[in-house]
Amino acid sequence: MPLSLMLWALFVVPLWALLLLPVAEAGAANGGFALGVLVVTAAAFAADRRLGAPGPARHFWPDRARWLPLGLLAGLGMTILASDLGNIGTHLADVTVQPPEAPDDPRIAALNATAFHIGLLLVVVGVAERTLLAIHRPWTAIALAALLGALPTPLYLWPQWALLVGLPAWLFRHTRALSLALVAYAPTVLLPLLDLVGLTPGVPGFDLVEAGAPVFQPIWFDLLGAVLVAAGVAPLLADFEAERRALDETPGDAGDAGDEERGADR
C-alpha cells in the first residue's frame, strides 16, 4: 500500500478544513465563505490529480437516473435516524443543550452552511474515498470516509455524522457518481434552507430543541426514517446485485474486471 496515497486520503479533509479557517473569519458575514469553500474544494480536486490514486474513476451522473430519487429517499430516512443518534450522543456526553442563536443575516448563514456541507461531502467521497478505494477493501474505505466526514463535529456527534456520510460513501463505492452521493446527503444540506423559509417539520428532537436535556424524537418519526431508508436502499441493492451478476456472466475482459472487483470485496 503506497504510504503517500494513504497520507493524502487521510489528511486531505483536515487540510481542506484548515484552509477554510481564514476564509471563515473574513467572509462569514458577507457570503465570502461560500466562495472560499468553492475555491478550496476545487483546489483539492486539482491536487488530487497529482497526489491521489490514478483510479477508480469518478463520474458526476450515475448510470441509471432512477437511482437519484431512491438515494434521496434513503438519505431522508438516514437524516431522521442520525438525528436521534445525535440526541443519544448528546445525552451520554451530558452536554447542556442550547437553542441556536439567531444569525444576523439568516440568508448568509444558510448559504455558508450549505456550501460547507456540499464542499465537505465532495472532498470526502470524491477525493479521500476515491483514493481509499484504490488501496483498501471497499468497506474499509467506506468506514474511513465516514469517519473523515465526522471530523469537523464534536466527538459525541461522530456516530451521527458518520452515519450521515456513510450512506453517500456507500453509494459512491458502488456507482462512483458524485451527484448520487450529493442527493443522498441533500436532506442534511437542505435543513438550514427549510428553516429559512419556515418549512421545517416541527418535530421535537429533530428541528425543535429545548434548553437543558436533549429531547428525543417520537418513536413514529424514527420508524418513518427506517421505512424511508429501506424503501430507498432495497431497490438500490437489487440493482447493484443485478449488475454484479451481469459482470459474472460477461466473458472476456469485463468478466476479468468483475473478478477483480469481487476480489477486492473479500
Side-chain angles (χ1 to χ4, degrees), residues 135-160:
I135 58 179
H136 285 294
R137 294 184 177 183
W139 278 111
T140 302
I142 292 171
L144 288 173
L147 179 61
L148 289 171
L151 282 180
T153 66
L155 184 61
Y156 62 88
L157 293 181
W158 278 18
Q160 174 187 4

Side-chain angles (χ1 to χ4, degrees), residues 79-96:
T79 301
I80 293 173
L81 296 178
S83 173
D84 225 13
L85 189 60
N87 294 333
I88 295 172
T90 302
H91 173 69
L92 293 177
D94 196 22
V95 175
T96 300

